[in-house]
Amino acid sequence: MNIFNQTGKYFALLLKVFSKPERHSLYVKQTFNEIENLGVNSVGIVTVISIFMGGIITLQVAYNMTNPLLPTYLIGLGNRDTLILEFSSTILALIMAGKIGSNITSEIGSMKVTEQIDSLEIMGVNSASYLILPKIIAVVMMFPLLYILSVFFGLIGGMIVGPAVGAVTVTDYLNGVQYLFNPYYITFSLIKCLVFGFLIASISAFFGYTVEGGAFDVGSASTRAVVNTNIMILVWDLILTQLLL
Amino acid sequence: MIEIKNLYKSFEQKEVLKNISKVFNKGETNLIIGRSGSGKTVLLKSIVGLHEIDRGQILYDNRDFTSMSTKLRKKLRREMGMVFQGGALFDSLTVEENIRFPLDMFSVLTPSEKQKQVDFCLERVNIADANKLSPSEISGGMKKRVAIARAIVMNPKYLFCDEPNSGLDPETSLVIDELIHSITVDLQITTIINTHDMNSVMEIGDNILFISDGEMCWEGNRKDILHTENQKLQEFVFANKQYQRIRDDKINQ
Ligand SMILES: Nc1ncnc2c1ncn2[C@@H]1O[C@H](COP(=O)(O)OP(=O)(O)OP(=O)(O)O)[C@@H](O)[C@H]1O
Ligand SMILES: [Mg+2]
């Protein structure tokens, strides 16, 4: 019952978010702020995580190739496909739900409990649209770029770790990375990224916008937002993989 | 002039406001008083449409707000200014940007005209030198002033203040009260103020509505209030012994 109620409220909020904005120039300015705040400021963490994960995936592929007849370039291939298909889209989305999502929920939630949202409404501003739309646009735009960045640094991570532990030479690794490459995998993952970006921004915003109470409630809303976003990311991962792959 | 007729408001099972009717006059400071939890904030938020009411009617200069479409309501809201209990300044913006925000959003003024209007409002509330600070860098009293400046920047016809001097020292409270009063008279706005501060009541109570447990209990002005026979109002007013003394002195004279 509660779940239907919440879902209904979520779609009602989206309707409000996508209604006509008051003044375009202010929205554009907000969107650029959010691109910086939510997107550009995530470049560091995405880089670090991706280098490590690329290295770890490379190690695991290497350890699982116990048959000496298998060519070592398969390590590069294994790392590439894991990154492109699942890690840099889904796993990264789960991590970003924690970083960007909780940021969005706590920011909007604090504005709610300190009556800043009421304050916007009383001025005649569509608060949902003004606060949420720029965030959705920013995250949906930035996520595919973060994805590409993550694939790139993940491959670099593998290229550092693989040769360092003597599992594969740099040449073989790079050959593997280019071997039997299917560009559709990238298209598929970019589509996932758009969906995940939308889920992260909109679900987190929803939990922030509907907070009632005080600072404590903002905290627990952030937690609920991250949990719910993660579940929805996995559900949609399943659906899209079935539909598109 | 704002008129409310037979207003009811409840949350789920809980009835918070019961059958409130009242006329709030233009150019006067209209006060809603009552103890904590009596429903003042809910009443004010119902009047401005932040809460949907269950029954009743709200008229802004004979325009029926209750039956208005969202679009018309939004338009009417540009004639309103509101000062919230905690100030509700946007903490990502500076003091000046806060005050300019409604202008940026809605007005067709040029940047220099906007600046003039912002400076005028800052001047009006006596904080001309704080414009570049952020809300976290200013005191509670200053926040209230900024909130008032932001509320009047669009030259509203209606001004709403929810406990504008809660949390302020008596001297600053008086300054804020006088500020709101003079703005109301000078600009001929319809002002509604929530308060439980008896000092404000005696200072600027032109037209007072006393509510208790969500019911209207008494109405009148500051001259009548000390001589009230109403039991509940007496308890409210004379909770502060000071006012008992003032009344007794007057009676003895
Ligand atoms: N959103 C809400 N949901 C449910 N009940 C509410 C809500 N808002 C207020 N109430 C209830 O309405 C009653 C009146 O609250 P209100 O905030 O109007 O009091 P108040 O007179 O403004 O008090 P104070 O002087 O402390 O600000 C309280 O009992 C409160 O619990
Ligand atoms: Mg209140």
Side-chain angles (χ1 to χ4, degrees):
Chain A
M1 187 58 220
N2 191 29
I3 225 176
F4 290 118
N5 195 345
Q6 289 281 87
T7 314
K9 281 189 185 157
Y10 170 75
F11 283 108
L13 181 65
L14 283 187
L15 219 62
K16 218 179 145 197
V17 168
F18 286 101
S19 56
K20 194 171 160 286
E22 275 86 22
R23 182 159 278 194
H24 281 104
S25 58
L26 275 189
Y27 278 68
V28 173
K29 197 175 136 213
Q30 278 294 95
T31 306
F32 278 105
N33 285 343
E34 299 297 355
I35 285 178
E36 181 175 350
N37 174 26
L38 300 172
V40 177
N41 289 345
S42 301
V43 166
I45 187 173
V46 168
T47 305
V48 171
I49 290 175
S50 302
I51 290 178
F52 272 94
M53 286 311 292
I56 293 163
I57 294 166
T58 303
L59 282 185
Q60 299 212 345
V61 176
Y63 287 137
N64 282 304
M65 289 202 341
T66 43
N67 188 339
L69 292 178
L70 286 175
T72 54
Y73 66 76
L74 286 181
I75 293 174
L77 183 147
N79 187 26
R80 178 197 73 201
D81 282 351
T82 313
L83 287 169
I84 288 183
L85 277 176
E86 209 50 33
F87 175 76
S88 294
S89 53
T90 311
I91 306 297
L92 194 70
L94 295 174
I95 296 169
M96 285 297 114
K99 184 182 183 287
I100 303 177
S102 63
N103 176 312
I104 293 177
T105 310
S106 52
E107 183 186 326
I108 296 183
S110 320
M111 291 188 75
K112 178 73 188 295
V113 300
T114 55
E115 296 180 313
Q116 291 178 52
I117 289 185
D118 282 345
S119 194
L120 283 169
E121 286 290 318
I122 208 73
M123 289 172 190
V125 178
N126 178 344
S127 61
S129 175
Y130 177 72
L131 293 175
I132 300 175
L133 190 58
K135 291 190 199 298
I136 292 182
I137 293 174
V139 177
V140 169
M141 269 173 58
M142 286 305 288
F143 213 87
L145 298 179
L146 291 176
Y147 164 77
I148 290 169
L149 194 79
S150 167
V151 171
F152 178 76
F153 281 105
L155 290 175
I156 302 247
M159 195 172 74
I160 297 168
V161 173
V165 299
V168 59
T169 64
V170 174
T171 326
D172 277 356
Y173 177 84
L174 287 176
N175 279 338
V177 166
Q178 291 161 56
Y179 187 67
L180 286 179
F181 174 62
N182 182 354
Y184 179 70
Y185 285 180
I186 299 249
T187 315
F188 163 66
S189 280
L190 286 175
I191 295 172
K192 287 207 302 189
C193 285
L194 296 177
V195 174
F196 294 163
F198 183 82
L199 290 173
I200 292 174
S202 63
I203 296 176
S204 318
F206 169 74
F207 278 93
Y209 198 82
T210 49
V211 170
E212 299 273 351
F216 175 80
D217 306 273
V218 175
S220 63
S222 291
T223 310
R224 267 182 297 132
V226 173
V227 171
N228 280 279
T229 309
N230 281 346
I231 292 170
M232 288 318 289
I233 286 172
L234 293 172
V235 169
W236 276 93
D237 191 22
L238 201 69
I239 294 173
L240 291 175
T241 305
Q242 173 61 27
L243 283 180
L244 299 177
L245 212 59
Chain B
M1 186 189 72
I2 299 172
E3 192 175 358
I4 53 179
K5 291 181 185 167
N6 310 102
L7 187 149
Y8 288 81
K9 170 70 193 166
S10 56
F11 292 104
E12 273 113 47
Q13 308 307 327
K14 191 168 175 238
E15 205 165 41
V16 178
L17 297 174
K18 287 155 246 169
N19 201 10
I20 311 266
S21 300
K22 175 79 183 157
V23 174
F24 301 101
N25 302 321
K26 183 174 151 182
E28 285 184 5
T29 39
N30 302 279
L31 264 47
I32 299 170
I33 63 171
R35 54 185 68 194
S36 197
S38 55
K40 302 184 295 294
T41 300
V42 174
L43 178 54
L44 203 63
K45 288 194 175 177
S46 300
I47 294 174
V48 300
L50 288 172
H51 289 317
E52 286 304 323
I53 59 173
D54 304 343
R55 256 186 299 155
Q57 222 181 8
I58 301 160
L59 302 166
Y60 283 81
D61 290 305
N62 298 319
R63 292 171 291 176
D64 185 355
F65 187 66
T66 340
S67 63
M68 244 176 224
S69 69
T70 319
K71 210 173 152 195
L72 284 176
R73 274 191 184 197
K74 253 192 181 173
K75 231 168 144 187
L76 181 58
R77 283 205 171 138
R78 292 182 201 162
E79 300 174 12
M80 301 180 189
M82 184 153 178
V83 178
F84 287 87
Q85 207 159 339
L89 300 177
F90 304 128
D91 32 38
S92 58
L93 305 178
T94 64
V95 163
E96 190 176 274
E97 288 166 340
N98 259 285
I99 300 171
R100 195 171 50 227
F101 184 85
L103 296 174
D104 285 339
M105 202 57 148
F106 299 113
S107 84
V108 291
L109 300 179
T110 66
S112 70
E113 285 170 327
K114 283 183 194 167
Q115 193 58 44
K116 246 173 89 184
Q117 176 70 358
V118 169
D119 290 340
F120 169 79
C121 291
L122 278 166
E123 197 85 28
R124 196 77 187 71
V125 298
N126 288 320
I127 41 166
D129 48 351
N131 38 1
K132 292 284 179 268
L133 298 177
S134 89
S136 58
E137 294 170 323
I138 59 177
S139 71
M142 272 162 105
K143 277 185 198 156
K144 290 280 161 71
R145 289 176 203 238
V146 177
I148 294 171
R150 187 178 65 182
I152 60 170
V153 76
M154 294 286 281
N155 297 319
K157 282 189 182 156
Y158 315 100
L159 180 64
F160 306 92
C161 306
D162 195 1
E163 313 221 3
N165 46 26
S166 65
L168 301 181
D169 63 88
E171 198 187 333
T172 313
S173 297
L174 197 66
V175 174
I176 298 280
D177 281 343
E178 278 166 0
L179 179 62
I180 296 172
H181 187 73
S182 65
I183 289 171
T184 304
V185 176
D186 294 351
L187 309 177
Q188 283 296 300
I189 344 185
T190 306
T191 300
I192 306 181
I193 303 167
N194 273 358
T195 185
H196 49 208
D197 180 359
M198 268 310 290
N199 291 334
S200 305
V201 172
M202 296 313 293
E203 206 59 46
I204 57 167
D206 295 333
N207 179 12
I208 304 166
L209 170 66
F210 172 64
I211 56 175
S212 171
D213 290 328
E215 289 181 75
M216 43 189 306
C217 215
W218 183 86
E219 46 187 314
N221 62 33
R222 63 183 157 209
K223 292 195 195 83
D224 313 330
I225 203 164
L226 291 181
H227 310 293
T228 177
E229 299 294 319
N230 185 306
Q231 190 63 40
K232 280 180 180 156
L233 182 58
Q234 278 189 351
E235 281 167 23
F236 178 82
V237 173
F238 302 118
N240 184 339
K241 293 276 181 300
Q242 187 81 32
Y243 289 98
Q244 214 161 340
R245 250 171 270 136
I246 294 174
R247 178 193 58 181
D248 295 344
D249 278 356
K250 273 191 180 161
I251 290 173
N252 291 340
Q253 272 166 19

